[in-house]
Amino acid sequence: MKVAKFGGTSLASASQIKKVCSIITSDPERRIVVVSAPGKRSKDDVKVTDMLISCAKAGLEKGSAESELQAIVTRYAEIANELGLSDDIVKIIADDINTRINSDKANSERYMDNLKAAGEDNSAKLVAAYLCSIGKEARYVNPKDAGLYLSDEYGNAQVLPQSYDNLMSLSDYAGITIFPGFFGYSTAGEVVTLPRGGSDITGSILAAAVKADLYENFTDVDNVYSANPNLISSPKPIYEATYREMRELAYAGFSVFHEEALVPVFKRGIPVRIKNTNNPSAPGTTIVKERHNITEPVVGIAGDVGFCFIYLSKYLMNREIGFGRKLLQILEEEHIPFEHMPSGIDNITIILKQSHLDEHSEKRIVERIKTELEVDDISVQKNLALVMIVGEGMRNTVGITARASGALSRENINLDMISQGPSEVSMIFGIKDYERDRAIKALYNEFF
Ligand code: ASP
């Protein structure tokens, strides 16, 4: 059995939904389907989720959101009419969004999540209604009825372990189950959403729960590419990658597949295939546990901005037992996650996402490190980028660092940091953020 997830552009219009339904019905193994909210129809269009966020803001700030509600209902009504569905489904959708707008506003985060979830929820109702209208056996399933429980972190929830057992029975239904992505329920029964783009995560949770043979993720590109196609023209497609390679690439900026979505399928060893709704016969990119025919050392190059480094040094640091623990404890107490921590004999650099620090926390952390750890020197460097080359084949290839740093030095790019994790599946270069694109191009030319 396959679990298939369709992203926003695949649900953006009636013609896209027809493509989705023909993909679903062309393979009897596609029995559990996760859908996103309608996405953009063109470059300048607005996603329904973003319309719902504006709607929630209007509800919270002005107490009403009449025009915002109308715009959203019109989007669904256009799709429903073009699919030849009756007005009943439009009424169900309009009533649903209206109820959410008029719900209790005492907790603004809860109110926002309840509205954000309406995009996927109504998209699923629409697709199920269309499949039934063309004579297929299909049903819409609400995540609460199915037992998809999430932590009560609004806008950033994580799956709770009991969900997997609860969701297992979804596979008992012989017809096609249409399940909304992006949200679930807290144990207190409130709607909570996953991070943005989280329908990928829902699909992965369901695939793991029903022990699917394959998790298919339908989007609007034929493949994942070895570098950002907006930066490199016609980059080499990636046909196969390991979970680890995809995780590293997603971390450093590849946005085709949500970085948290690999966890549930990875734990159960379920392969993932990324495919194009607009070109379903293309082979796509398959993500597997292990690759056997590794011919090239590097599969992809990615880079992201928004990092900062806290550099600190102390003479004889290597002799001081507990130094690392005390340092990390300061970060833990300040609730700041760290990304990497390369070290020398008497110095350490902690790499953080800049968005996790504000002026006050930065001052406090620097002060605490100075006084509690008595360091000789501390400085914070901002506006940095991390550029990564990723590939399982790097492990057994001599000279990768030389080639990469050679390519960067020919571009006159100064390296603030180089780090290769013990797994040797990636190598990270810390550089100034304005040099990121040039660095990616230089590395791409070197390795591809
Ligand atoms: N609709 C949600 C978003 O725009 C979730 C998703 O599409 O995966 O973030």
Side-chain angles (χ1 to χ4, degrees):
M1 190 182 52
K2 296 171 182 167
V3 169
K5 177 259 168 180
F6 291 86
T9 52
S10 307
L11 280 306
S13 65
S15 58
Q16 287 299 89
I17 291 181
K18 284 183 184 166
K19 282 185 201 167
V20 166
C21 291
S22 90
I23 291 171
I24 298 171
T25 53
S26 68
D27 184 343
E29 288 188 32
R30 293 189 180 120
R31 288 202 287 114
I32 298 180
V33 175
V34 174
V35 291
S36 281
K40 292 184 181 192
R41 291 161 290 189
S42 60
K43 218 168 140 244
D44 305 320
D45 201 9
V46 184
K47 288 168 134 199
V48 164
T49 308
D50 291 319
M51 295 169 86
L52 286 158
I53 291 172
S54 307
C55 188
K57 282 185 184 154
L60 287 167
E61 284 159 19
K62 299 190 290 189
S64 74
E66 208 34 59
S67 59
E68 288 84 357
L69 166 71
Q70 265 324 312
I72 297 164
V73 173
T74 305
R75 280 276 318 251
Y76 281 106
E78 277 171 14
I79 298 176
N81 293 341
E82 246 188 88
L83 290 173
L85 299 175
S86 76
D87 287 344
D88 298 352
I89 184 80
V90 181
K91 187 168 181 322
I92 292 174
I93 293 172
D95 288 349
D96 172 75
I97 302 173
N98 210 3
T99 310
R100 293 178 199 247
I101 290 176
N102 293 316
S103 65
D104 180 19
K105 299 185 182 67
N107 179 337
S108 59
E109 289 184 319
R110 182 181 64 194
Y111 182 79
M112 174 63 82
D113 267 18
N114 194 18
L115 266 157
K116 272 158 78 182
E120 275 54 23
D121 205 20
N122 290 304
S123 187
K125 289 177 201 161
L126 205 63
V127 174
Y130 178 66
L131 283 168
C132 292
S133 80
I134 58 169
K136 306 292 172 194
E137 195 186 340
R139 61 170 181 171
Y140 150 83
V141 170
N142 183 277
K144 190 182 219 168
D145 300 332
L148 174 52
Y149 289 111
L150 305 178
S151 61
D152 55 4
E153 298 163 272
Y154 293 109
N156 195 27
Q158 300 195 47
V159 65
L160 297 180
Q162 65 266 40
S163 300
Y164 291 101
D165 284 344
N166 298 345
L167 293 164
M168 209 154 66
S169 62
L170 282 178
S171 59
D172 295 345
Y173 180 63
I176 303 160
T177 294
I178 309 292
F179 197 98
F182 189 42
F183 73 96
Y185 288 80
S186 66
T187 47
E190 306 289 356
V191 170
V192 261
T193 66
L194 295 160
R196 289 299 303 267
S199 299
D200 285 347
I201 306 174
T202 311
S204 181
I205 295 167
L206 264 53
V210 302
K211 301 192 176 70
D213 298 303
L214 180 66
Y215 171 30
E216 292 178 308
N217 194 283
F218 283 88
T219 171
D220 52 10
V221 288
D222 279 355
N223 296 92
V224 178
Y225 293 96
S226 46
N228 183 350
N230 297 324
L231 206 61
I232 307 285
S233 73
S234 316
K236 195 174 170 207
I238 300 178
Y239 293 112
E240 197 179 51
T242 63
Y243 296 119
R244 290 196 305 176
E245 288 170 332
M246 269 315 286
R247 157 76 183 120
E248 304 265 347
L249 290 169
Y251 171 80
F254 274 37
S255 58
V256 180
F257 191 62
H258 198 290
E259 64 171 312
E260 288 178 34
L262 280 176
V263 182
V265 277
F266 162 75
K267 285 193 177 149
R268 300 219 168 161
I270 297 166
V272 181
R273 185 162 300 146
I274 294 164
K275 283 177 78 77
N276 189 351
T277 300
N278 305 314
N279 185 16
S281 58
T285 299
T286 307
I287 307 168
V288 291
K289 197 162 170 227
E290 267 173 75
R291 288 199 291 130
H292 298 291
N293 296 320
I294 298 178
T295 49
E296 301 293 335
V298 176
V299 295
I301 295 164
D304 211 358
V305 294
F307 293 92
C308 65
F309 294 4
I310 303 180
Y311 169 85
L312 50 110
S313 67
K314 181 175 186 183
Y315 196 66
L316 289 181
M317 180 190 284
N318 66 321
R319 300 281 305 269
E320 193 174 321
I321 292 170
F323 187 90
R325 180 188 53 76
K326 286 182 215 151
L327 177 61
L328 293 181
Q329 193 159 341
I330 293 175
L331 291 179
E332 185 179 348
E333 284 164 9
E334 298 287 340
H335 296 286
I336 309 272
F338 76 96
E339 306 298 313
H340 309 276
M341 198 167 64
S343 63
I345 303 167
D346 284 342
N347 46 58
I348 293 185
T349 303
I350 313 166
I351 302 174
L352 310 171
K353 289 215 168 117
Q354 210 157 298
S355 57
H356 290 142
L357 276 188
D358 58 29
E359 207 190 311
H360 302 293
S361 57
E362 178 185 328
K363 249 188 162 163
R364 225 174 24 241
I365 289 171
V366 169
E367 211 36 59
R368 284 191 65 183
I369 293 175
K370 263 189 197 160
T371 49
E372 292 173 33
L373 299 179
E374 296 172 332
V375 295
D376 300 328
D377 197 13
I378 177 163
S379 61
V380 180
Q381 229 184 316
K382 291 194 182 146
N383 304 325
L384 296 158
L386 296 184
V387 171
M388 293 172 67
I389 54 175
V390 176
E392 299 274 0
M394 291 181 358
R395 204 176 301 121
N396 300 317
T397 313
V398 174
I400 297 292
T401 321
R403 284 176 67 186
S405 54
L408 295 171
S409 85
R410 282 191 295 280
E411 273 296 313
N412 209 14
I413 294 172
N414 183 48
L415 299 177
D416 288 306
M417 186 271 304
I418 303 183
S419 163
Q420 181 177 49
S423 72
E424 289 188 55
V425 74
S426 70
M427 194 176 291
I428 307 175
F429 301 94
I431 57 173
K432 303 282 178 294
D433 58 4
Y434 56 84
E435 293 187 314
R436 175 192 59 174
D437 293 355
R438 265 197 314 127
I440 292 176
K441 284 181 190 162
L443 291 168
Y444 185 84
N445 290 337
E446 175 63 37
F447 288 102
F448 294 94

